[in-house]
Amino acid sequence: MSATSYHPPSFRERLYRNRWHVLKNTLLLAFASIAIFIPFWMVLVNSAKPIGEANQLGIGLPQEWALIENYTTVLEEGTMGRGFINSVIVVVPSIIGIVLFGSMAAWVFARTQSPRISFLYYLSIAGILIPPAVVASVRVLRTFEELGPQIQLILFYMGVYTSFAIFLVTGFVKTIPIELEEAARIDGAGPFMIFFRIILPMLKPIIITAAFIMLLFMWNDFFYAFFFVGGAGNRTLVLGLFSFISGFFQQIRWNLVFASVVIVSLPLIFVFALAQRWIVSGLLGATVDK
Amino acid sequence: MTERQLKSGSAGATGNPVGARRRALPVWGSFLPRTLYQWQIAAFLFPALALIIAFYIVPNAMNFYLSLTDWSTYKSEINFIGLRNFTDLYATGELFGPLWVTLRYAFFVMIAENIFALALALALEESTPFNIFLRSVFFIPVLISTLAAGYAYQGIFAPNGVFNNLINTFIVPLGFEPVQTGWLAQVNFTLYIVALVHAWKFGGIHMFVYLSGLKAIPHELVESARVEGANAWQVFRHVKAPLLGPAFTFNIVLTLIGALSIFDIILTMSRGGPGRATEVMNLAVWRQFGTGAFSYSTAISTLLFIVILIIAIPLIIVLRRREVRL
């Protein structure tokens, strides 16, 4: 940093710069507390209060704790355990399919220059721009009615979100030197061997990023899932949240609302906390410049 | 560019890696694979393309047709009725009403979200432990479900909610009247409050896009501008902002599209109310679907499709032209 500056900063300058840093960091912390900490704190403390206290919507600590009662009520009445399993059943196969098929297509798109291939590329990334026509999709996927709503939703997600994986992975494949593939080809490897043994392992960082973004989209998706999943037994976690809270038509029970908000949010926060290092470096490294 | 051509030249005329040995092979001469070599390309493209075409392109095309029919839950057969769905909806104000709400919402979200994300990215650019921690903090809203966030904000902006309670603890001791405003029941500005929550909810991911753009800027450029006496604003305006071109394009387009097709946050915060003041197009799609008038909901989503195309494509062209490359 100081290699190009022509004089070392004087004490006065360093003090000034430091002061500016302290001011900036104080402002950032103040902003983070108002924008992030207070809302999350509000949700957490109110999810631990009995109903009368929670409905005053304060941000003080509970005078009377009802933490365990609230959370067990939500888990039982809101059938959150069933919802969690249903979400996993839909989201995990979708992510695997999207990432695998998306990477395979992205490899061809990144390595081939021909008008027809680029036409197919733009066709397949159109899904980033244009949202799916969900009502018509429900009609198309009714063909697979006997396979159950989960399979229909998985096929729908794969059709819609593979575009995103193709877009991200294509940009990444272009940064992998093609010489690696040539060397393998000279040694007699076929395309399947080259892809699965050489390219796919090198795609790990972008695959983690893409899989995580897919997880965000699909785990938190309410709009599309709502159209596909009707029956109570198949509801995903977010659909369960909606029907649970919509059930309070007489009087809203804020303590249970906030407790269910916490339960629904925890899985992804947990995944992010575990894989934070890879996700953040992937997000920072992902290029949006094709 | 030339390096790329050189590389592809060494891999055959088209730069195709999939078994390209002879230069003269016609690559992808027709959509039907003609050689083993093309069969292999097709094998790699097929699963993804089949899924995308069957479950994304076909429904989108079918949606166009269905919006011209009388498909509903009350009839067994579907008849072509031309533009009658659109004229019906136009007559009751249910076509351009939601469209106008959606456009105002999307424009406001795009501005707010990009300012929020860019300001955070610039403030947290240096990778100090403090900044790395705060990046994750501002990313947390992205993780939680939009529906859940909407419910939490209903509690914050209720008349007796956390927001009013906090203000009142400061102003009531000073002798002011306590604030009792229901922030989510205002015809004039509830839409913009929801838009701010939207920016808060999704800003974190766009912050990372700006951060990765900032990381790609060569350090020497920023440093030499500083040495020549540019202040922080001038460095941003004349060095960083032009080089952030691709990040601006990506973020502006995606925040706009995300806001145009918003649904869940509006559903939980205001349910389209008060009246129809916050009824965006996807909420109208949902409501019409719920009443069984399926063709009305396909008509509204066709309109949304057209609106997104009309906005996004010229925007991408203009923004990409403005991008500066090193």
Side-chain angles (χ1 to χ4, degrees):
Chain A
M1 266 151 253
S2 55
T4 43
S5 62
Y6 46 86
H7 62 91
S10 67
F11 175 71
R12 182 186 279 272
E13 272 175 329
R14 285 216 315 265
L15 187 72
Y16 175 78
R17 205 179 282 174
N18 250 341
R19 241 205 249 147
W20 200 86
H21 262 271
V22 170
L23 178 70
K24 190 185 89 173
N25 288 351
T26 317
L27 281 177
L28 271 171
L29 269 185
F31 182 60
S33 1
I34 292 171
I36 312 285
F37 294 126
I38 291 183
F40 279 85
W41 173 254
M42 185 278 295
V43 169
L44 280 178
V45 286
N46 283 309
S47 74
K49 291 176 184 174
I51 177 145
E53 212 186 324
N55 280 3
Q56 292 167 9
L57 294 167
I59 59 166
L61 278 173
Q63 280 149 356
E64 209 184 310
W65 287 81
L67 184 80
I68 296 164
E69 297 95 288
N70 289 346
Y71 281 86
T72 43
T73 311
V74 168
L75 281 173
E76 280 163 16
E77 284 180 31
T79 59
M80 295 288 170
R82 182 71 223 165
F84 179 84
I85 294 168
N86 284 336
S87 282
V88 171
I89 289 175
V90 170
V91 169
V92 171
S94 305
I95 290 180
I96 293 173
I98 287 170
V99 164
L100 178 68
F101 299 148
S103 312
M104 282 164 58
W107 181 49
V108 173
F109 287 137
R111 296 299 197 214
T112 314
Q113 285 116 36
S114 98
R116 283 177 196 226
I117 295 282
S118 27
F119 167 75
L120 288 180
Y121 175 67
Y122 287 112
L123 188 77
S124 32
I125 64 165
I128 298 177
L129 282 192
I130 297 155
V134 63
V135 177
S137 301
V138 171
R139 198 177 156 80
V140 169
L141 281 156
R142 208 169 278 163
T143 328
F144 301 92
E145 206 162 17
E146 66 275 21
L147 296 176
Q150 271 105 352
I151 303 282
Q152 291 180 45
L153 196 55
I154 290 171
L155 291 173
F156 173 79
Y157 282 151
M158 291 209 284
V160 174
Y161 291 129
T162 305
S163 56
F164 224 98
I166 290 179
F167 176 73
L168 286 175
V169 179
T170 305
F172 191 88
V173 174
K174 285 184 176 168
T175 66
I176 299 177
I178 201 165
E179 286 79 2
L180 281 170
E181 294 171 27
E182 283 163 9
R185 196 160 53 233
I186 289 164
D187 290 343
F192 288 89
M193 176 89 101
I194 293 175
F195 179 76
F196 285 101
R197 288 290 177 78
I198 297 172
I199 299 298
L200 203 56
M202 293 185 77
L203 295 179
K204 202 177 134 200
I206 196 71
I207 281 181
I208 291 176
T209 310
F212 181 72
I213 294 175
M214 296 300 112
L215 178 66
L216 278 182
F217 284 171
M218 294 185 287
W219 190 271
N220 290 336
D221 167 50
F222 170 74
F223 187 50
Y224 304 135
F226 181 86
F227 283 90
F228 282 97
V229 181
N234 295 322
R235 280 190 193 124
T236 60
L237 198 53
V238 173
L239 286 173
L241 173 74
F242 179 71
S243 67
F244 178 59
I245 292 181
S246 305
F248 303 149
F249 49 90
Q250 296 289 344
Q251 165 77 54
I252 193 154
R253 286 140 78 192
W254 282 113
N255 52 346
L256 300 187
V257 171
F258 293 136
S260 54
V261 164
V262 171
I263 290 176
V264 171
S265 308
L266 272 182
L268 283 195
I269 292 182
F270 185 68
V271 170
F272 182 69
L274 279 185
Q276 193 180 5
R277 200 154 53 92
W278 296 288
I279 292 166
V280 168
S281 67
L283 287 174
L284 285 176
T287 174
V288 292
D289 182 18
K290 5 170 233 62
Chain B
M1 182 67 191
T2 45
E3 198 187 17
R4 156 115 256 131
Q5 281 167 345
L6 275 178
K7 276 179 188 165
S8 51
S10 65
T14 54
N16 199 295
V18 189
R21 291 212 175 99
R22 278 173 289 164
R23 295 183 116 244
L25 265 181
V27 174
W28 210 250
S30 73
F31 279 106
L32 292 173
R34 283 203 302 231
T35 62
L36 179 68
Y37 161 51
Q38 289 183 349
W39 176 84
Q40 286 166 337
I41 294 184
F44 274 88
L45 290 181
F46 179 77
L49 280 176
L51 285 168
I52 289 170
I53 289 170
F55 305 122
Y56 170 73
I57 309 255
V58 167
N60 250 320
M62 217 168 108
N63 193 58
F64 259 103
Y65 169 71
L66 286 171
S67 70
L68 305 174
T69 67
D70 62 352
W71 178 34
S72 83
T73 188
Y74 310 110
K75 284 187 191 146
S76 51
E77 82 277 23
I78 296 178
N79 303 307
F80 184 81
I81 54 163
L83 292 170
R84 222 174 58 221
N85 290 319
F86 292 93
T87 50
D88 282 1
L89 287 170
Y90 176 75
T92 54
E94 287 175 278
L95 195 61
F96 290 143
L99 173 65
W100 177 233
V101 172
T102 310
L103 289 178
R104 279 188 299 152
Y105 178 81
F107 184 72
F108 191 77
V109 166
M110 188 263 283
I111 303 283
E113 198 168 342
N114 278 290
I115 290 175
F116 176 68
L118 182 60
L120 283 179
L122 289 168
L124 303 174
E125 188 184 346
E126 270 177 75
S127 293
T128 60
F130 177 79
N131 285 353
I132 289 172
F133 168 70
L134 276 192
R135 283 178 202 165
S136 294
V137 167
F138 284 107
F139 193 70
I140 295 176
V142 179
L143 300 172
I144 61 174
S145 116
T146 323
L147 207 71
Y151 286 126
Y153 273 93
Q154 226 185 55
I156 289 175
F157 288 122
N160 66 336
V162 174
F163 186 72
N164 285 346
N165 284 342
L166 273 182
I167 294 180
N168 290 341
T169 51
F170 291 110
I171 65 165
V172 170
L174 297 174
F176 288 98
E177 285 288 299
V179 181
Q180 297 284 340
T181 316
W183 297 95
L184 299 178
Q186 305 297 322
V187 177
N188 300 324
F189 59 80
T190 292
L191 187 68
Y192 302 107
I193 290 180
V194 181
L196 283 180
V197 173
H198 182 124
W200 171 89
K201 166 74 181 72
F202 294 105
I205 204 149
H206 298 288
M207 168 188 78
F208 273 105
V209 176
Y210 281 123
L211 276 172
S212 72
L214 286 170
K215 266 184 84 176
I217 296 175
H219 202 260
E220 309 87 74
L221 284 179
V222 176
E223 205 54 36
S224 63
R226 283 219 183 101
V227 167
E228 285 176 30
N231 61 30
W233 166 250
Q234 287 166 327
V235 170
F236 172 71
R237 176 69 191 78
H238 299 289
V239 183
K240 289 179 182 170
L243 291 173
L244 279 177
F248 273 117
T249 307
F250 185 85
N251 278 343
I252 289 175
V253 172
L254 282 206
T255 50
L256 207 52
I257 290 171
L260 286 170
S261 49
I262 193 61
F263 173 75
D264 16 17
I265 204 160
I266 304 253
L267 177 76
T268 45
M269 283 182 74
S270 65
R271 258 191 180 254
R276 294 250 169 98
T278 59
E279 188 176 87
V280 289
M281 294 174 84
N282 268 341
L283 205 71
V285 169
W286 186 69
R287 197 167 49 78
Q288 298 288 4
F289 186 83
T291 63
F294 301 145
S295 62
Y296 282 160
S297 64
T298 56
I300 299 167
S301 65
T302 299
L303 183 67
L304 180 63
F305 176 96
I306 294 168
V307 166
I308 287 179
L309 270 192
I310 289 177
I311 293 177
I313 298 211
L315 191 66
I316 292 171
I317 293 171
V318 169
L319 289 173
R320 284 199 75 89
R321 249 186 228 151
R322 290 179 57 93
E323 286 174 10
V324 177
R325 268 149 217 280
L326 284 177

